[in-house]
Amino acid sequence: MTASSLTDRYVWAAVRTARPAQRTELDRELRERIGDDIDARIEQGEQPAAAEHAALTDLGDPAAVAAGYIDRPLMLIGPRYYLAWQRLLKLLLAIVLPFAALGITIGQVVAGTPAGGIVGAVIGSTITVGIHVAFWTTLLFVVLERLPDTARSTGKSFDWSLDMLPEVPDPAATARRGELIGSLVFLGLFAAAIVLVQVFGIPWVPALDGEPLFDPDLWSFWLPYFLVLIGLEAIFAVVLYQRGWNWWLATVNLILNLAFVVPALWLFLSGQLIAEGALEAMRWPWGDSGPVIVTIVVVAVIAAAVWDVVDGAVKAYRAQGVGR
């Protein structure tokens, strides 16, 4: 992908703050305004690159320009620091809330809180943390707004510059980012579920409340093995996001699938996976339906693995074709 021009980046930074229905018209009007200004500067003898840089600098913060076009006043705090407040608050929430949720979860698990209590504590406490972050950040800017010439007196400035322009997003990278987030969330929940069903059982099923689902003997090797494998899957997802599909990663994907599916099905079919107490609580086997259920589980697991491997191979093939 070639580097985006400053104009492309400026227009993207502006239109992304508008509603979808307004973006096409805003894009067209901004490009016309910028183009006219650049042409006028070139006629006066400026070089094209310098003319573009000067035209965009004179326009100012693209978010503020967009707000003027779509008649959206920036007055939650005041126009002086509104955009700086907005950007800082988004950044803080994106960083603080996930770490807060993780820390609260670990603390509740260590304290032996039931699964339902953990979920409630994480949701409630994370919301409280978010409210505090928003309140104190906003209060800081409210005070800052009312101080006389704070930025000038300290020699620092909140002024916008061209260096703050974002890159125009690559559609392929955007799609991979969505896949990365989905994969990491799924893998995190999967790993947490393996641990939690061993500690708490399945609380919403009365017969399995407090009853370990998997055989406790599996902690000697197989459960840590699967948890490590989930960690390797997470690393694979990050590498895939950074590099995109290729035949090497498709091969790694095949190996990871085999490393998980083969031992998991072997443990399941040999009766070593589910704890005896859990089987008794479920009153397994369920008569004539038992073999049918086992067959469905095996076919579903194999089908999911085959689908994942084939999907990775197809994407690697397409990526190779695009790279030629």
Side-chain angles (χ1 to χ4, degrees):
M1 177 182 177
T2 58
S4 305
S5 70
L6 281 177
T7 298
D8 290 334
R9 292 167 59 191
Y10 188 97
V11 172
W12 163 246
V15 301
R16 68 176 181 172
T17 64
R19 292 192 295 269
Q22 299 173 307
R23 291 177 181 175
T24 301
E25 181 179 357
L26 178 58
D27 184 292
R28 178 181 55 80
E29 291 186 7
L30 270 179
R31 289 186 184 276
E32 289 180 357
R33 178 176 174 180
I34 294 168
D36 291 343
D37 193 1
I38 291 174
D39 290 341
R41 292 173 182 273
I42 291 176
E43 290 178 359
Q44 295 174 4
E46 293 188 29
Q47 294 297 318
E52 182 185 33
H53 192 282
L56 297 178
T57 301
D58 285 351
L59 270 180
D61 193 324
V65 173
Y69 267 95
I70 61 181
D71 193 24
R72 184 187 63 202
L74 307 177
M75 293 297 292
L76 178 61
I77 295 174
R80 184 180 182 188
Y81 294 130
Y82 176 86
L83 293 171
W85 163 83
Q86 183 186 62
R87 290 176 179 128
L88 179 60
L89 182 58
K90 288 180 179 179
L91 178 63
L92 289 176
L93 291 175
I95 294 174
V96 172
L97 294 187
F99 281 101
L102 178 61
I104 294 165
T105 301
I106 294 173
Q108 293 295 318
V109 171
V110 172
T113 306
I118 292 176
V119 173
V122 170
I123 294 175
S125 299
T126 303
I127 292 175
T128 300
V129 171
I131 292 173
H132 275 283
V133 170
F135 173 79
W136 293 109
T137 303
T138 303
L139 180 62
L140 171 65
F141 277 89
V142 167
V143 174
L144 192 63
E145 179 77 26
R146 285 151 180 78
L147 293 177
D149 295 328
T150 304
R152 295 176 186 174
S153 64
T154 59
K156 299 180 180 179
S157 174
F158 289 96
D159 291 343
W160 174 87
S161 69
L162 286 176
D163 293 335
M164 298 170 65
L165 284 177
E167 291 289 349
V168 178
D170 180 356
T174 302
R176 292 202 305 271
R177 186 181 302 113
E179 293 177 356
L180 172 65
I181 294 172
S183 297
L184 294 181
V185 169
F186 170 76
L187 292 170
L189 293 175
F190 189 23
I194 290 176
V195 175
L196 292 176
V197 297
Q198 288 301 99
V199 177
F200 303 109
I202 305 179
W204 56 89
V205 179
L208 296 176
D209 188 9
E211 185 71 41
L213 181 62
F214 303 118
D215 191 330
D217 292 340
L218 296 178
W219 278 115
S220 63
F221 176 76
W222 285 112
L223 288 182
Y225 166 84
F226 287 122
L227 291 174
V228 169
L229 203 57
I230 290 172
L232 294 177
E233 287 276 7
I235 295 173
F236 172 78
V238 173
V239 174
L240 183 62
Y241 166 70
Q242 293 175 336
R243 300 190 177 185
W245 281 100
N246 56 50
W247 286 117
W248 284 106
L249 291 180
T251 303
V252 173
N253 186 46
L254 170 63
I255 294 172
L256 288 173
N257 271 281
L258 290 174
F260 192 92
V261 170
V262 172
L265 289 181
W266 172 69
L267 290 170
F268 177 68
L269 294 173
S270 63
Q272 302 178 62
L273 184 62
I274 307 300
E276 289 291 337
L279 291 174
E280 292 176 3
M282 292 186 291
R283 299 180 181 178
W284 180 267
W286 299 333
D288 295 337
S289 64
V292 176
I293 294 173
V294 170
T295 302
I296 291 174
V297 171
V298 172
V299 171
V301 171
I302 294 176
V306 170
W307 172 266
D308 186 57
V309 170
V310 172
D311 182 58
V314 170
K315 290 178 178 177
Y317 174 78
R318 290 175 177 172
Q320 186 183 50
V322 171
R324 291 178 178 175

